[in-house]
Structure formats: C-alpha cells, structure tokens
Amino acid sequence: LKPCRQLKEFRVIDPQKFSLGQELTVAAFNEGDTIDITGISKGKGFQGVIKRHHKAGGPASHGSTFHRSTGSIGQRTWPGRVFKLMKLPGHMGSRQITVRNLKVLQIIPEKNYLIVDGAVPGGKRAYLSIKFQDAKMFEERVVKPKVEQPKESQTTETAEAPEAKGE
C-alpha cells in the first residue's frame, strides 16, 4: 500500500470479497440510514469531582471552607477502606466513545462528506469510524460483485438462435 495518514482495519464477515487497499467512501451510505460513529473524545486533563462527576459541592458563604472539594469518601474504623468505583478526581476525556443511532441527513460524494443528525466525538479534524448497525448491510453496499470469467479449459456450448417466425 502507498503511505497514508491513517490506516484502519475493520472486521467483516467474508474478507475474500474485499481487495487490498480498497478505498471506502461515503457512497455506500444513503440518506436516512442509521449509523454508529466511534472516535476519541476531547481531552480535558485532570478534573475535580464537580466537573467530572457532577457532584454538588458545598455552601458558598457563611464561613464554609467546603466549596468544590471531594468531601467524605469513606467510613470510620470499619470497613476502614475506600470502596471501589468511588467517584474521585482524575483524568477526564481522551477516551474512545461510540455514539449510536445517528441518522444520515445528507451525503456529498464529491467532497466525501457525510452530514449526520447529532453530535460526534472528538474535536475538529478528528478521525472517526463510521459503521452501519448491521454488518451485512456494509458488505452488501460496499462490495462490488466480482464478475467471474469462464476458464479457458472449460468448454462452453452456445445455444442456437431461435428461427424468426414470419407472418
């Protein structure tokens, strides 16, 4: 294959139907199709519990010192540990996200554009994987049927043309 910016591999039912380096375009989609789009979400760095998990925070006035912090995360002597899956501060974003059931509104094949109804993961110029919800539909629309040519070793019989009936 010639060098390209990104090379992606897709799981298919019958790999013999595809050729090496076959280019997939938006021509396989139709307006009104329902698709799934997968991409890497925008990275937001290290975030606290209010932004990351939508916790409420504490009172803002009257001498309170509890504003945007985590608060209590455990008990006393027993069980004496922090439970698993506790919502704590940490890294947010930069994860693979799949947005399902997006409807195709418009297709512009000249520019290879696909316009969908809804938000897609990632920022501007992000790479996305667009998939049909049914894998069989993908192969039906993308794969061009291969025309089998008769082998030279086989003998083919030609049917005689029917005689024209005159009036």
Side-chain angles (χ1 to χ4, degrees), residues 15-165:
Q16 301 302 326
K17 293 182 179 179
F18 296 91
S19 60
L20 185 65
Q22 180 177 350
E23 184 176 339
L24 305 176
T25 63
V26 297
F29 298 99
N30 294 329
E31 292 180 10
D33 284 345
T34 304
I35 58 175
D36 297 339
I37 298 181
T38 303
I40 305 296
S41 65
K42 286 184 178 181
K44 294 176 174 47
F46 190 93
Q47 298 298 326
V49 292
I50 292 179
K51 185 168 188 175
R52 187 175 186 210
H53 299 295
H54 309 291
K55 288 199 173 181
S61 61
H62 299 291
S64 172
T65 57
F66 172 63
H67 300 292
R68 296 181 62 91
S69 62
T70 307
S72 176
I73 60 170
Q75 303 78 26
R76 297 180 72 162
T77 306
W78 188 87
R81 64 185 175 91
V82 176
F83 289 129
K84 289 183 180 180
L85 303 176
M86 176 62 64
K87 294 180 176 181
L88 295 172
H91 188 269
M92 184 174 168
S94 296
R95 291 189 176 171
Q96 180 174 305
I97 303 292
T98 299
V99 180
R100 300 189 187 280
N101 301 325
L102 293 175
K103 185 177 179 184
V104 177
L105 296 179
Q106 186 179 1
I107 298 166
I108 306 172
E110 301 86 33
K111 295 185 177 182
N112 209 23
Y113 285 174
L114 186 69
I115 300 172
V116 296
D117 182 21
V120 296
K124 294 178 183 177
R125 307 192 53 88
Y127 289 104
L128 302 172
S129 294
I130 304 169
K131 299 175 190 167
F132 287 102
Q133 290 185 328
D134 184 15
K136 292 178 183 176
M137 187 182 296
F138 170 72
E139 292 193 18
E140 288 172 5
R141 293 195 190 169
V142 172
V143 177
K144 296 174 184 162
K146 294 181 181 178
V147 178
E148 294 185 17
Q149 298 178 358
K151 296 180 182 175
E152 293 176 12
S153 62
Q154 293 178 337
T155 58
T156 57
E157 297 179 16
T158 56
E160 295 181 15
E163 295 179 19
K165 294 181 182 179

